[in-house]
PDB file of all heavy atoms in Angstrom:
ATOM      1  N   ARG A 136     -54.362  20.489  69.445  1.00 95.00           N
ATOM      2  CA  ARG A 136     -55.360  21.449  68.984  1.00 95.00           C
ATOM      3  C   ARG A 136     -54.820  22.862  69.164  1.00 95.00           C
ATOM      4  O   ARG A 136     -53.775  23.064  69.809  1.00 95.00           O
ATOM      5  CB  ARG A 136     -56.694  21.254  69.705  1.00 95.00           C
ATOM      6  CG  ARG A 136     -56.667  21.504  71.183  1.00 95.00           C
ATOM      7  CD  ARG A 136     -57.988  21.127  71.857  1.00 95.00           C
ATOM      8  NE  ARG A 136     -58.025  21.582  73.240  1.00 95.00           N
ATOM      9  CZ  ARG A 136     -58.988  21.269  74.106  1.00 95.00           C
ATOM     10  NH1 ARG A 136     -59.993  20.490  73.741  1.00 95.00           N
ATOM     11  NH2 ARG A 136     -58.945  21.744  75.350  1.00 95.00           N
ATOM     12  N   GLN A 137     -55.519  23.826  68.637  1.00 93.00           N
ATOM     13  CA  GLN A 137     -54.987  25.178  68.502  1.00 93.00           C
ATOM     14  C   GLN A 137     -54.754  25.911  69.819  1.00 93.00           C
ATOM     15  O   GLN A 137     -54.075  26.945  69.838  1.00 93.00           O
ATOM     16  CB  GLN A 137     -55.907  26.016  67.617  1.00 93.00           C
ATOM     17  CG  GLN A 137     -57.279  26.283  68.215  1.00 93.00           C
ATOM     18  CD  GLN A 137     -58.249  26.899  67.203  1.00 93.00           C
ATOM     19  OE1 GLN A 137     -58.100  26.720  66.005  1.00 93.00           O
ATOM     20  NE2 GLN A 137     -59.235  27.613  67.703  1.00 93.00           N
ATOM     21  N   ASP A 138     -55.254  25.388  70.930  1.00 93.00           N
ATOM     22  CA  ASP A 138     -55.013  26.045  72.222  1.00 93.00           C
ATOM     23  C   ASP A 138     -53.763  25.523  72.914  1.00 93.00           C
ATOM     24  O   ASP A 138     -53.536  25.794  74.093  1.00 93.00           O
ATOM     25  CB  ASP A 138     -56.238  25.914  73.141  1.00 93.00           C
ATOM     26  CG  ASP A 138     -56.597  24.463  73.445  1.00 93.00           C
ATOM     27  OD1 ASP A 138     -55.919  23.548  72.922  1.00 93.00           O
ATOM     28  OD2 ASP A 138     -57.562  24.241  74.199  1.00 93.00           O
ATOM     29  N   GLY A 139     -52.922  24.754  72.185  1.00 94.00           N
ATOM     30  CA  GLY A 139     -51.647  24.310  72.738  1.00 94.00           C
ATOM     31  C   GLY A 139     -51.733  23.099  73.643  1.00 94.00           C
ATOM     32  O   GLY A 139     -50.844  22.871  74.473  1.00 94.00           O
ATOM     33  N   LYS A 140     -52.753  22.286  73.486  1.00 96.00           N
ATOM     34  CA  LYS A 140     -52.918  21.094  74.311  1.00 96.00           C
ATOM     35  C   LYS A 140     -52.836  19.829  73.467  1.00 96.00           C
ATOM     36  O   LYS A 140     -53.058  19.849  72.265  1.00 96.00           O
ATOM     37  CB  LYS A 140     -54.257  21.140  75.057  1.00 96.00           C
ATOM     38  CG  LYS A 140     -54.381  22.292  76.045  1.00 96.00           C
ATOM     39  CD  LYS A 140     -55.720  22.267  76.764  1.00 96.00           C
ATOM     40  CE  LYS A 140     -55.877  23.463  77.688  1.00 96.00           C
ATOM     41  NZ  LYS A 140     -54.928  23.425  78.822  1.00 96.00           N
ATOM     42  N   PHE A 141     -52.515  18.705  74.139  1.00 97.00           N
ATOM     43  CA  PHE A 141     -52.491  17.407  73.477  1.00 97.00           C
ATOM     44  C   PHE A 141     -53.366  16.415  74.225  1.00 97.00           C
ATOM     45  O   PHE A 141     -53.709  16.609  75.396  1.00 97.00           O
ATOM     46  CB  PHE A 141     -51.051  16.874  73.359  1.00 97.00           C
ATOM     47  CG  PHE A 141     -50.506  16.251  74.634  1.00 97.00           C
ATOM     48  CD1 PHE A 141     -50.615  14.883  74.868  1.00 97.00           C
ATOM     49  CD2 PHE A 141     -49.880  17.033  75.599  1.00 97.00           C
ATOM     50  CE1 PHE A 141     -50.119  14.317  76.036  1.00 97.00           C
ATOM     51  CE2 PHE A 141     -49.380  16.481  76.775  1.00 97.00           C
ATOM     52  CZ  PHE A 141     -49.501  15.106  76.985  1.00 97.00           C
ATOM     53  N   LEU A 142     -53.704  15.337  73.522  1.00 98.00           N
ATOM     54  CA  LEU A 142     -54.593  14.301  74.050  1.00 98.00           C
ATOM     55  C   LEU A 142     -54.115  12.951  73.547  1.00 98.00           C
ATOM     56  O   LEU A 142     -53.640  12.830  72.414  1.00 98.00           O
ATOM     57  CB  LEU A 142     -56.019  14.541  73.544  1.00 98.00           C
ATOM     58  CG  LEU A 142     -57.058  13.427  73.720  1.00 98.00           C
ATOM     59  CD1 LEU A 142     -57.669  13.514  75.108  1.00 98.00           C
ATOM     60  CD2 LEU A 142     -58.163  13.526  72.669  1.00 98.00           C
ATOM     61  N   ILE A 143     -54.210  11.928  74.385  1.00 98.00           N
ATOM     62  CA  ILE A 143     -54.012  10.541  73.953  1.00 98.00           C
ATOM     63  C   ILE A 143     -55.267   9.779  74.354  1.00 98.00           C
ATOM     64  O   ILE A 143     -55.689   9.824  75.516  1.00 98.00           O
ATOM     65  CB  ILE A 143     -52.771   9.898  74.579  1.00 98.00           C
ATOM     66  CG1 ILE A 143     -51.517  10.713  74.253  1.00 98.00           C
ATOM     67  CG2 ILE A 143     -52.609   8.459  74.080  1.00 98.00           C
ATOM     68  CD1 ILE A 143     -50.260  10.223  74.954  1.00 98.00           C
ATOM     69  N   LYS A 144     -55.866   9.075  73.386  1.00 98.00           N
ATOM     70  CA  LYS A 144     -57.155   8.445  73.618  1.00 98.00           C
ATOM     71  C   LYS A 144     -57.228   7.130  72.849  1.00 98.00           C
ATOM     72  O   LYS A 144     -56.532   6.948  71.847  1.00 98.00           O
ATOM     73  CB  LYS A 144     -58.263   9.390  73.143  1.00 98.00           C
ATOM     74  CG  LYS A 144     -59.623   9.207  73.772  1.00 98.00           C
ATOM     75  CD  LYS A 144     -60.535  10.376  73.400  1.00 98.00           C
ATOM     76  CE  LYS A 144     -61.865  10.305  74.127  1.00 98.00           C
ATOM     77  NZ  LYS A 144     -62.730  11.460  73.800  1.00 98.00           N
ATOM     78  N   SER A 145     -58.058   6.210  73.312  1.00 98.00           N
ATOM     79  CA  SER A 145     -58.245   4.947  72.604  1.00 98.00           C
ATOM     80  C   SER A 145     -59.691   4.793  72.170  1.00 98.00           C
ATOM     81  O   SER A 145     -60.603   5.337  72.808  1.00 98.00           O
ATOM     82  CB  SER A 145     -57.849   3.763  73.498  1.00 98.00           C
ATOM     83  OG  SER A 145     -58.711   3.671  74.623  1.00 98.00           O
ATOM     84  N   ARG A 146     -59.886   4.084  71.066  1.00 98.00           N
ATOM     85  CA  ARG A 146     -61.227   3.760  70.586  1.00 98.00           C
ATOM     86  C   ARG A 146     -61.360   2.249  70.503  1.00 98.00           C
ATOM     87  O   ARG A 146     -60.460   1.548  70.013  1.00 98.00           O
ATOM     88  CB  ARG A 146     -61.493   4.380  69.215  1.00 98.00           C
ATOM     89  CG  ARG A 146     -62.849   3.951  68.611  1.00 98.00           C
ATOM     90  CD  ARG A 146     -63.103   4.592  67.274  1.00 98.00           C
ATOM     91  NE  ARG A 146     -63.377   6.008  67.390  1.00 98.00           N
ATOM     92  CZ  ARG A 146     -64.577   6.525  67.666  1.00 98.00           C
ATOM     93  NH1 ARG A 146     -65.619   5.722  67.868  1.00 98.00           N
ATOM     94  NH2 ARG A 146     -64.753   7.818  67.728  1.00 98.00           N
ATOM     95  N   ASN A 147     -62.493   1.750  70.963  1.00 97.00           N
ATOM     96  CA  ASN A 147     -62.827   0.331  70.852  1.00 97.00           C
ATOM     97  C   ASN A 147     -64.289   0.261  70.430  1.00 97.00           C
ATOM     98  O   ASN A 147     -65.181   0.473  71.239  1.00 97.00           O
ATOM     99  CB  ASN A 147     -62.606  -0.382  72.187  1.00 97.00           C
ATOM    100  CG  ASN A 147     -62.721  -1.891  72.068  1.00 97.00           C
ATOM    101  OD1 ASN A 147     -63.278  -2.403  71.092  1.00 97.00           O
ATOM    102  ND2 ASN A 147     -62.204  -2.609  73.038  1.00 97.00           N
ATOM    103  N   GLY A 148     -64.521   0.014  69.137  1.00 96.00           N
ATOM    104  CA  GLY A 148     -65.878   0.063  68.613  1.00 96.00           C
ATOM    105  C   GLY A 148     -66.392   1.491  68.671  1.00 96.00           C
ATOM    106  O   GLY A 148     -65.742   2.421  68.208  1.00 96.00           O
ATOM    107  N   ALA A 149     -67.553   1.681  69.279  1.00 94.00           N
ATOM    108  CA  ALA A 149     -68.128   3.025  69.395  1.00 94.00           C
ATOM    109  C   ALA A 149     -67.665   3.743  70.659  1.00 94.00           C
ATOM    110  O   ALA A 149     -67.962   4.919  70.844  1.00 94.00           O
ATOM    111  CB  ALA A 149     -69.657   2.932  69.392  1.00 94.00           C
ATOM    112  N   GLU A 150     -66.921   3.032  71.530  1.00 97.00           N
ATOM    113  CA  GLU A 150     -66.511   3.607  72.803  1.00 97.00           C
ATOM    114  C   GLU A 150     -65.125   4.231  72.706  1.00 97.00           C
ATOM    115  O   GLU A 150     -64.227   3.686  72.051  1.00 97.00           O
ATOM    116  CB  GLU A 150     -66.503   2.522  73.892  1.00 97.00           C
ATOM    117  CG  GLU A 150     -67.849   1.855  74.124  1.00 97.00           C
ATOM    118  CD  GLU A 150     -68.904   2.827  74.637  1.00 97.00           C
ATOM    119  OE1 GLU A 150     -68.535   3.699  75.451  1.00 97.00           O
ATOM    120  OE2 GLU A 150     -70.067   2.714  74.238  1.00 97.00           O
TER     121      GLU A 150
END
Side-chain angles (χ1 to χ4, degrees):
R136 64 187 190 188
Q137 66 190 25
D138 60 358
K140 297 181 183 293
F141 79 93
L142 167 84
I143 303 174
K144 204 169 186 178
S145 65
R146 175 179 289 276
N147 189 342
E150 300 296 322

